[in-house]
Amino acid sequence: MGNWMSKIYKPKIVKFALNSWPPFWGAGIKILSISDDFREVKMKLKLRWWNKNANRTQYGGSIFSLTDPVYSLMLMGILGDQYYVWDKEASINFIKPGQSDLYADFLVPLDQLEEILRLTANGDKCFPEFIIHVKDKNGNVVSEVQRKLYVRKKPRFREESEQQTA
């Protein structure tokens, strides 16, 4: 994220931009809320005729897409332009069919954030993992998604950290 981007990278703007983003609205994905500190996001996947599978339930690709860039974008908002944040790995476990709108809550716990900052302070890579439980309208888990990210300070900020510790 460039310096100009970090100035406009605010929860309300990110929410508006992603709710307008064609891959999200086309899949029926909507961001319901983003906390002011980017540590919590709530999302919804609407069940529509065009995102149903052959069994008339939520299409698995849409469920997976619901979770796709969220933790990366959250950490970008939290850590700012000093860090690279990328999705590295992901897997999904389909537990039961999604027969209604689906919901996902994303949280970056404070202790996990502190661990990320500690591990990356000297420019090392960090691979935090997050689990998302996608639930139906009754709160039943329909899928569990595991996401692993890549987090590392950008080179110019690594040098600043080394100079400060010297």
Side-chain angles (χ1 to χ4, degrees), residues 92-123:
I92 188 166
N93 178 18
F94 296 105
I95 297 169
K96 64 182 276 186
Q99 299 175 325
S100 68
D101 293 350
L102 300 179
Y103 301 87
D105 295 338
F106 302 80
L107 175 67
V108 177
L110 189 55
D111 60 336
Q112 190 170 20
L113 178 57
E114 290 170 349
E115 180 74 356
I116 291 167
L117 291 168
R118 186 184 67 74
L119 291 172
T120 60
N122 294 319

Side-chain angles (χ1 to χ4, degrees), residues 31 33-35 38-43 70 74 104-106:
I31 295 177
S33 66
I34 302 176
S35 66
F38 279 102
R39 289 190 42 238
E40 293 183 55
V41 173
K42 295 183 182 296
M43 297 181 65
V70 182
M74 291 170 73
D105 295 338
F106 302 80

Side-chain angles (χ1 to χ4, degrees), residues 54-77:
N55 294 312
R56 312 298 295 156
T57 60
Q58 286 279 9
Y59 172 62
S62 295
I63 297 171
F64 201 53
S65 293
L66 173 66
T67 69
D68 188 11
V70 182
Y71 274 111
S72 290
L73 295 173
M74 291 170 73
L75 284 177
M76 288 169 66

Side-chain angles (χ1 to χ4, degrees), residues 72-146:
S72 290
L73 295 173
M74 291 170 73
L75 284 177
M76 288 169 66
I78 294 167
L79 299 172
D81 66 347
Q82 292 187 18
Y83 287 82
Y84 291 119
V85 182
W86 295 91
D87 276 311
K88 182 170 175 32
E89 293 177 23
S91 64
I92 188 166
N93 178 18
F94 296 105
I95 297 169
K96 64 182 276 186
Q99 299 175 325
S100 68
D101 293 350
L102 300 179
Y103 301 87
D105 295 338
F106 302 80
L107 175 67
V108 177
L110 189 55
D111 60 336
Q112 190 170 20
L113 178 57
E114 290 170 349
E115 180 74 356
I116 291 167
L117 291 168
R118 186 184 67 74
L119 291 172
T120 60
N122 294 319
D124 293 332
K125 300 172 192 173
C126 175
F127 303 102
E129 294 189 33
F130 300 92
I131 302 291
I132 305 106
H133 293 104
V134 179
K135 299 177 181 181
D136 64 17
K137 67 180 181 182
N138 298 318
N140 300 309
V141 175
V142 300
S143 67
E144 182 179 88
V145 182
Q146 175 272 333

